[in-house]
């Protein structure tokens, strides 16, 4: 029963897939944040003079908590959709929702929360709109320039400083009363001591219109930079220096005057020298900071727009559901239970305290600014693969990942305190019409990142007691693989398969030896998208990896010659992989599925010997594996 040698590999394959290599921040984030999907609606951080979204875009973005003004705008948008007949099949649902929203308006309240069903309907409705329909709605509504702002505490202080300066300098006497009223409102928000605040549409529009109206001379009198411009602290990290260098290089392309170009060139030289020092933190002089601020403050709105568009977009703020928030808390609780250096341990503790305090508020949605999300991702990206596994262990098996191979080994595995058990079923064995099954177990030893890892597997074959020799139930074998993780998402494994056997009539596998090299390759930036990750393995093996004509099951260590085998797997979704592989004898096609995200159970159905060159036709294999970290 040659198919049953698969049982020897299921455990190490699934455990290897469970913890994707940690070669890059992108892959790291995918490991820890798996199962926390991006919100269907998000809120953009204010980006200075970036073009604001349309009124419709505002409603697409803020769909969780509404002020009275925003609720009124949402009703207007829905009424416009109804009036224009854009979605006649959903007219009844739209009418019902409008009535519900009007009742919420009557009830009052500073913040109005919609039900999950209402949010889901709105998301589906807005996401279905075509650009032409959006343009029609904008025209019907008569407004295309509405913006909402989410401000951190430092940004809120910057806005207040600007407004107070305008009042003190009496630059806008005709708007004195409106500005003073806004200052009072923002001071009330500031007193709440929240990490971020959301300004209403009306407040955001007024602030940005006011800021846009300031002349360069008035800006100089106020001594402030443009709202949302890049803040230049005195102490900068290496990443901050790289960001600043990018800004200065883009400013060189704006066609400024010769004096400004000379200042920019001088600053670029200074920044490059600071980078060359290699220190974790560097200090900018007061003169350098002042020059940078003056340069940015002197830009016209058109130049600022050009600069903003040329720079990489910042991370958007996100609204997290209660389940997503709980997952974040679980991750940080797990991280708090492992040994970390003092700085990271302190960061983990601070984030855990923040997440749990927000959870105690009893909300069903939670907002994080883009800056906070960047900080979380940076911290999570700092965890090594070994630390990720420790976190998973502390969480008590934080889910599983689909397998990346069906019948052939891969180059990853061999982690201490990992184990798996599984069962393999084949609807008929080679050259018979009898079904059969086998069971296997595998455990890991060592650390393939720092030294070498070892997987030891045992298989019990012939469960049907029909195929092969009579009374063959209970035959089995032992197999071993040494693994080493290499840079750039590579892993290499060397193994001896069925090296110890008993009751050989239960299987015609024989012994085999092999070496295999594996590579994990990101195909897209967003690893949650289909076809965004590929797993490629290529190996040389004897024994069962030799062609059918060359195979001799009784040869020691698999004999000679050696033959090429390999596999390719791609993700169809976070919990499904498609697999194609060449066993050295024939082609196999499979699909690996994780039915339940937080249960480490992996089901891999497959068709083996698809071309029929290694037997008497295609056969169905199915294996079910349960993996643990202890």
């Amino acid at each position: 029963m040659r198919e049953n040698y698969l049982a020897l590999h299921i455990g190490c394959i699934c455990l290897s897939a469970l913890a994707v290599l940690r070669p890059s921040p992108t892959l790291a984030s995918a490991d820890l944040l798996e199962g926390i999907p991006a919100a269907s609606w998000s809120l953009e951080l204010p980006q200075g003079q970036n073009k604001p979204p349309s009124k419709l875009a505002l409603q697409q973005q803020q769909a969780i908590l509404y002020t009275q003004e925003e609720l009124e705008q949402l009703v207007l948008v829905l009424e416009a959709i109804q009036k224009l007949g854009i979605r006649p099949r959903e007219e009844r649902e739209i009418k019902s929702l409008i009535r519900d929203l009007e009742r919420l308006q009557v009830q009052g309240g500073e913040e109005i929360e919609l039900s999950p069903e209402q949010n889901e309907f709105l998301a589906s409705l807005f996401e279905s709109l075509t650009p032409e329909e959006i343009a029609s709605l904008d025209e019907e509504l008569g407004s295309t320039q509405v913006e909402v702002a989410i401000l951190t505490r430092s940004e809120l202080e910057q806005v207040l400083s600007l407004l107070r300066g305008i009042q003190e300098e009496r630059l806008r006497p005709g708007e004195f009363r409106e500005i003073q009223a806004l200052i009072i409102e923002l001071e009330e928000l500031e007193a709440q001591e929240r990490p971020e605040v959301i300004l209403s549409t009306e407040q955001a529009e007024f602030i940005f219109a006011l800021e846009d109206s300031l002349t360069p001379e008035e800006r100089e009198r106020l001594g402030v930079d443009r709202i949302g411009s890049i803040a230049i602290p005195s102490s900068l990290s290496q990443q901050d220096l790289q960001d600043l260098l990018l800004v200065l290089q883009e400013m060189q392309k704006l066609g400024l005057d010769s004096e400004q170009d000379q200042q920019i060139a001088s600053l670029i030289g200074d920044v490059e020298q600071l980078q060359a020092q290699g220190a974790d933190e560097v200090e900018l002089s007061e003169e350098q900071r002042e020059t940078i601020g003056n340069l940015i403050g002197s830009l016209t709105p058109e130049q600022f727009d050009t600069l903003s568009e040329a720079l990489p977009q910042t991370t958007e703020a996100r609204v997290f559901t209660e389940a997503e928030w709980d997952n974040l808390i679980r991750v940080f609780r797990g991280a708090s239970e492992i040994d970390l250096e003092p700085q990271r341990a302190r960061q983990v503790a601070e984030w855990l305290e923040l997440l749990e305090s927000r959870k105690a508020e009893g909300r069903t949605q939670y907002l994080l600014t883009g800056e906070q999300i960047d900080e979380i991702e940076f911290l999570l990206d700092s965890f090594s693969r070994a630390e990720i596994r420790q976190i998973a262990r502390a969480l008590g098996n934080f889910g599983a990942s689909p397998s990346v191979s069906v019948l052939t080994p891969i180059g990853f595995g061999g982690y201490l305190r990992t184990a798996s058990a599984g069962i393999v079923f084949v609807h008929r064995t080679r050259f018979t019409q009898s079904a059969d099954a086998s069971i296997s177990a595998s455990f890991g030893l060592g650390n393939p990142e720092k030294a070498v890892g070892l997987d030891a597997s045992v298989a019990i074959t012939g469960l049907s007691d029909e195929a092969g020799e009579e009374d063959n139930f209970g035959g089995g074998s032992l197999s071993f693989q040494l693994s080493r993780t290499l840079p750039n998402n590579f892993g290499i494994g060397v193994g001896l398969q069925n090296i110890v056997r008993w009751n050989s009539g239960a299987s015609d596998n024989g012994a085999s030896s092999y070496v295999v090299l594996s590579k994990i390759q990101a195909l897209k930036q967003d690893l949650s998208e289909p076809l965004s990750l590929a797993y490629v393995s290529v190996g040389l093996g004897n024994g069962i990896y030799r062609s059918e004509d060359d195979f001799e099951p009784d040869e020691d260590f698999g004999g000679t010659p050696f033959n090429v085998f390999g596999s390719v797997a791609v993700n169809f979704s976070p919990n499904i992989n498609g697999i194609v592989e060449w066993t050295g004898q024939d082609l196999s096609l499979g699909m690996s599925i994780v039915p339940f995200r937080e249960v480490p159970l992996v089901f891999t159905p497959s068709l083996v010997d698809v071309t029929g060159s290694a037997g008497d036709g295609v056969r169905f294999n199915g294996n079910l594996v349960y993996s643990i970290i202890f």
Side-chain angles (χ1 to χ4, degrees):
M1 181 186 165
R2 185 166 302 174
E3 291 82 355
N4 285 330
Y5 81 88
L6 168 63
L8 300 172
H9 301 288
I10 318 171
C12 62
I13 289 172
C14 292
L15 287 172
S16 299
L18 178 64
V20 177
L21 274 181
R22 296 268 311 120
S24 68
T26 303
L27 290 178
S29 298
D31 284 340
L32 281 179
L33 295 178
E34 181 185 353
I36 306 178
S40 57
W41 297 350
S42 59
L43 298 167
E44 289 190 5
L45 286 171
Q47 292 298 312
Q49 301 306 306
N50 287 351
K51 295 180 181 178
S54 67
K55 176 178 290 188
L56 180 62
L58 169 65
Q59 302 309 327
Q60 282 181 285
Q61 292 168 345
Q62 186 158 342
I64 305 300
L65 297 176
Y66 288 86
T67 64
Q68 285 290 342
E69 294 86 356
E70 291 160 353
L71 196 63
E72 181 180 356
Q73 289 183 13
L74 179 55
V75 171
L76 290 174
V77 173
L78 293 173
E79 288 175 341
I81 291 175
Q82 188 179 23
K83 179 179 178 181
L84 295 174
I86 289 177
R87 291 292 180 272
R89 294 184 179 179
E90 299 173 336
E91 183 176 1
R92 181 179 301 177
E93 291 85 350
I94 293 173
K95 282 184 178 179
S96 175
L97 181 55
I98 289 174
R99 288 195 298 269
D100 292 342
L101 298 182
E102 288 174 341
R103 282 197 293 268
L104 289 172
Q105 284 181 297
V106 173
Q107 293 174 9
E110 294 183 0
E111 290 184 337
I112 296 92
E113 182 175 338
L114 303 187
S115 70
E117 293 77 15
Q118 291 169 326
N119 284 327
E120 184 177 354
F121 175 76
L122 286 169
S124 175
L125 176 64
F126 288 133
E127 289 172 1
S128 71
L129 295 174
T130 66
E132 293 75 16
E133 290 169 339
I134 292 175
S136 299
L137 286 168
D138 278 336
E139 184 177 354
E140 175 67 23
L141 293 167
S143 174
T144 59
Q145 297 288 304
V146 181
E147 185 159 333
V148 64
I150 304 172
L151 303 182
T152 63
R153 290 193 61 79
S154 61
E155 291 166 339
L156 179 61
E157 292 170 0
Q158 184 184 2
V159 172
L160 278 170
S161 176
L162 172 67
L163 297 176
R164 289 165 181 157
I166 291 174
Q167 294 292 73
E168 292 171 2
E169 296 289 336
R170 298 193 176 275
L171 297 181
R172 297 293 181 271
E175 298 174 299
F176 183 89
R177 184 173 299 176
E178 292 85 348
I179 296 173
Q180 193 60 39
L182 181 56
I183 288 175
I184 293 173
E185 293 170 357
L186 297 184
E187 286 176 340
E188 291 176 352
L189 291 175
E190 185 181 36
Q192 295 176 9
E193 296 187 352
R194 294 182 178 179
E196 71 284 322
V197 297
I198 304 176
L199 303 190
S200 70
T201 303
E202 183 179 354
Q203 291 170 326
E205 281 185 318
F206 182 80
I207 291 171
F208 284 108
L210 181 65
E211 196 270 343
D212 260 345
S213 71
L214 296 175
T215 65
E217 292 76 16
E218 288 172 335
R219 292 180 189 281
E220 186 175 356
R221 286 174 60 186
L222 292 171
V224 297
D225 293 333
R226 184 180 302 275
I227 295 175
S229 63
I230 301 169
I232 308 297
S234 59
S235 179
L236 300 179
S237 66
Q238 286 293 327
Q239 182 59 55
D240 294 332
L241 285 175
Q242 184 60 38
D243 293 341
L244 177 56
L245 184 61
L246 178 59
V247 171
L248 295 172
Q249 290 170 341
E250 291 298 331
M251 289 180 68
Q252 282 185 312
K253 305 174 184 178
L254 296 178
L256 305 179
D257 61 44
S258 58
E259 182 180 355
Q260 290 173 315
D261 284 339
Q262 186 175 358
Q263 291 175 329
I264 294 171
S266 176
L267 285 169
I268 289 177
D270 293 341
V271 172
E272 289 176 340
Q273 288 181 2
L274 290 171
Q275 282 185 311
Q277 295 175 9
D280 292 338
E281 295 284 337
V282 297
E283 298 288 330
L284 289 182
S285 68
E286 186 64 34
E287 181 182 358
Q288 289 169 328
R289 294 174 59 202
E290 183 178 354
T291 302
I292 294 170
N294 290 338
L295 283 169
I296 295 176
S298 69
L299 300 179
T300 65
E302 293 76 16
Q303 289 172 330
F304 197 92
D305 282 344
T306 301
L307 178 61
S308 298
E309 292 170 1
L311 296 174
Q313 296 300 310
T314 58
T315 304
E316 293 182 351
R318 270 199 49 196
V319 175
F320 289 75
T321 66
E322 187 173 10
E324 293 167 349
W325 198 260
D326 289 341
N327 278 333
L328 274 178
I329 291 176
R330 289 184 65 203
V331 169
F332 278 94
R333 281 178 180 167
S336 69
E337 295 179 17
I338 68 175
D339 291 330
L340 297 172
E341 61 270 23
Q343 180 180 1
R344 282 197 301 161
R346 183 172 61 255
Q347 291 174 320
V348 167
E350 290 172 352
W351 272 111
L352 182 58
E353 181 181 2
L354 172 63
L355 296 173
E356 289 181 331
S357 64
R358 296 281 295 278
K359 173 69 176 178
E361 296 173 4
R363 294 178 176 270
T364 57
Q365 291 90 21
Y366 302 87
L367 176 70
L368 287 179
T369 67
E371 182 180 359
Q372 289 174 315
I373 292 174
D374 284 339
E375 290 178 7
I376 287 178
E377 290 185 346
F378 184 82
L379 178 56
L380 297 182
D381 290 345
S382 71
F383 292 128
S384 68
R385 186 170 180 236
E387 288 170 337
I388 291 174
R389 296 182 70 85
Q390 292 173 14
I391 292 173
R393 189 178 299 120
L395 293 172
N397 294 325
F398 192 56
S401 297
S403 297
V404 297
S405 178
V406 177
L407 300 177
T408 56
I410 63 173
F412 302 122
Y415 280 89
L416 181 65
R417 296 173 66 186
T418 59
S420 67
I423 183 169
V424 181
F425 166 81
V426 58
H427 88 288
R428 68 175 185 86
T429 58
R430 290 194 321 142
F431 306 113
T432 78
Q433 297 302 314
S434 300
D436 206 350
S438 64
I439 58 176
S440 69
S442 174
F443 65 92
L445 295 169
N447 187 331
E449 289 185 340
K450 296 182 178 180
V452 68
L454 170 66
D455 282 299
S457 305
V458 58
I460 305 298
T461 56
L463 299 189
S464 69
D465 202 23
E466 293 181 3
E469 299 177 2
E470 293 183 2
D471 300 323
N472 66 0
F473 173 75
S477 61
L478 297 177
S479 300
F480 302 92
Q481 175 175 309
L482 294 175
S483 303
R484 171 68 179 180
T485 299
L486 304 175
N488 299 318
N489 281 344
F490 282 97
I492 189 169
V494 178
L496 293 173
Q497 189 171 301
N498 300 338
I499 193 64
V500 177
R501 303 187 301 278
W502 57 91
N503 191 5
S504 60
S507 171
D508 62 352
N509 288 345
S512 303
S513 56
Y514 62 85
V515 59
V516 59
L517 180 68
S518 297
K519 163 73 172 175
I520 301 174
Q521 179 64 52
L523 304 178
K524 297 180 181 179
Q525 184 72 21
D526 185 355
L527 299 183
S528 64
E529 292 185 8
L531 307 181
S532 58
L533 267 178
Y535 309 82
V536 181
S537 296
V538 178
L540 283 175
N542 59 10
I544 61 171
Y545 304 110
R546 293 157 58 181
S547 67
E548 178 70 12
D549 293 338
D550 290 333
F551 177 60
E552 293 292 341
D554 295 328
E555 289 185 292
D556 294 335
F557 300 102
T560 56
F562 280 75
N563 198 19
V564 176
F565 65 86
S567 63
V568 176
V570 294
N571 65 319
F572 294 153
S573 72
N575 64 322
I576 299 177
N577 284 345
I579 306 168
V580 178
E581 70 179 14
W582 176 255
T583 66
Q585 296 188 352
D586 209 324
L587 188 68
S588 299
L589 303 175
M591 182 174 291
S592 187
I593 304 166
V594 177
F596 314 104
R597 196 185 76 81
E598 295 196 17
V599 178
L601 192 67
V602 182
F603 175 56
T604 306
S606 61
L607 297 176
V608 301
D609 290 352
V610 173
T611 69
S613 64
D616 57 340
V618 63
R619 298 182 300 283
F620 173 80
N621 263 13
N623 70 69
L624 190 66
V625 177
Y626 188 88
S627 304
I628 62 172
I629 303 173
F630 57 92

